[in-house]
Amino acid sequence: MPQSTSRRRNEFIDGPIDSYCAAHSTGPDELQIDLQRVTREKTGEAAGMQVGDDQALLMEILVRAMGATRAIEIGTFTGFSALAIAKGLGPNGHLLCCDVNEEWTNIAREAWNDAGVSERIELRIGPALDTLRALPVGVQFDFAFIDADKPGYPNYYDEILPRLRPGGLVLLDNTLQGGRVIGAEKASEEVSAIRSLNDFIVNDARVRVVQLPLGDGLSCVQKL
Ligand SMILES: C[S@@+](CC[C@H](N)C(=O)[O-])C[C@H]1O[C@@H](n2cnc3c(N)ncnc32)[C@H](O)[C@@H]1O
């Protein structure tokens, strides 16, 4: 397995330390590197939405360590984070991916086929809130990853938490919003939504949460 050549997105970690961590972390495999390249070629600047190598690997490791078999992702794009989750789930796992964009998720479908994980991934195209509200109400997930439109996060969290098993994890991406969550000044709709959700989660008696300065901020929430 190659070591990472660092395709990381850590806005808050000192460069040399980040490079050192990259050099001492397992790197992406050939298919993951290929998906990063195809995403850059076909989506241009939007490729910046992909999670970093380290975050993808962290999710893969967590999912595998939990023995998770049922997962959901809100915000799939070209399938890079979903591929990592699916690898962690193993052959008997099921990952429900939610996105609105056919063009981007067609790239994802190809990559999942090439990686031999498409059997364990179900993609639903449409607003994620509609998809979530159409799901049965009972517990049905071990792991969830939220990485879509920021104003939607509070609703996604509300819908997912009751469907998560005790001990299960919800990871939320971009919870530092480039640092703009700090301070009380007037903020964009995105920043305001994430600020109030961060405040809500840390006081939510149903969970334990650790917010990591990885990428643009990654909140790892465990349901009690
Ligand atoms: C940041 S990207 C996801 C990146 C992906 N997790 C990865 O690492 O490659 C956000 C995605 O959310 C999708 N999205 C935006 N609004 C949405 C909504 N209301 N419902 C479902 N998906 C949505 C976009 O189409 C986009 O693909």
Side-chain angles (χ1 to χ4, degrees):
M1 184 71 76
Q3 285 184 338
S4 179
T5 50
S6 194
R7 198 202 129 276
R8 296 153 72 98
R9 311 211 171 275
N10 295 322
E11 298 188 31
F12 307 105
I13 301 175
D14 174 56
I17 290 289
D18 197 36
S19 300
Y20 184 88
C21 292
H24 296 83
S25 298
T26 308
D29 63 25
E30 294 304 321
L31 287 167
Q32 288 172 310
I33 292 169
D34 206 45
L35 177 54
Q36 290 169 340
R37 180 187 54 75
V38 169
T39 300
R40 276 193 307 275
E41 287 171 5
K42 294 196 175 167
T43 74
E45 275 189 14
M49 295 199 295
Q50 242 173 10
V51 299
D53 290 339
D54 46 359
Q55 192 177 323
L57 182 60
L58 177 66
M59 292 199 291
E60 178 191 328
I61 288 173
L62 287 174
V63 166
R64 188 176 295 114
M66 293 167 73
T69 56
R70 309 162 297 174
I72 181 165
E73 175 178 82
I74 311 296
T76 292
F77 187 44
T78 59
F80 186 70
S81 49
L83 177 55
I85 296 167
K87 284 170 72 158
L89 286 174
N92 297 322
H94 181 262
L95 169 62
L96 177 60
C97 285
C98 307
D99 206 291
V100 283
N101 190 302
E102 293 268 11
E103 194 183 327
W104 288 339
T105 51
N106 280 339
I107 299 171
R109 286 184 202 272
E110 274 188 42
W112 299 335
N113 262 330
D114 293 346
V117 298
S118 40
E119 291 293 298
R120 59 188 93 149
I121 302 180
E122 179 189 350
L123 175 62
R124 290 200 197 158
I125 297 294
L129 194 54
D130 293 350
T131 301
L132 281 167
R133 288 185 172 155
L135 292 173
V137 277
V139 167
Q140 59 207 277
F141 299 115
D142 305 302
F143 181 90
F145 179 48
I146 303 178
D147 186 21
D149 55 308
K150 308 313 157 197
Y153 273 36
N155 284 329
Y156 302 148
Y157 180 79
D158 272 357
E159 293 293 331
I160 287 172
L161 205 66
R163 294 178 168 91
L164 197 70
R165 72 157 160 88
L169 296 181
V170 187
L171 269 52
L172 300 96
D173 201 19
N174 306 107
T175 58
L176 287 173
Q177 288 292 292
R180 292 182 297 280
V181 284
I182 297 174
E185 71 277 8
K186 198 166 161 11
S188 66
E189 191 191 358
E190 283 76 14
V191 173
S192 298
I194 297 294
R195 251 187 208 161
S196 34
L197 182 60
N198 288 340
D199 291 345
F200 177 81
I201 293 176
V202 76
N203 291 304
D204 185 349
R206 297 172 297 174
V207 304
R208 304 270 284 162
V209 56
V210 58
Q211 188 172 37
L212 304 173
L214 198 65
D216 182 28
L218 181 68
S219 292
C220 303
V221 180
Q222 184 172 42
K223 182 174 172 177
L224 293 174

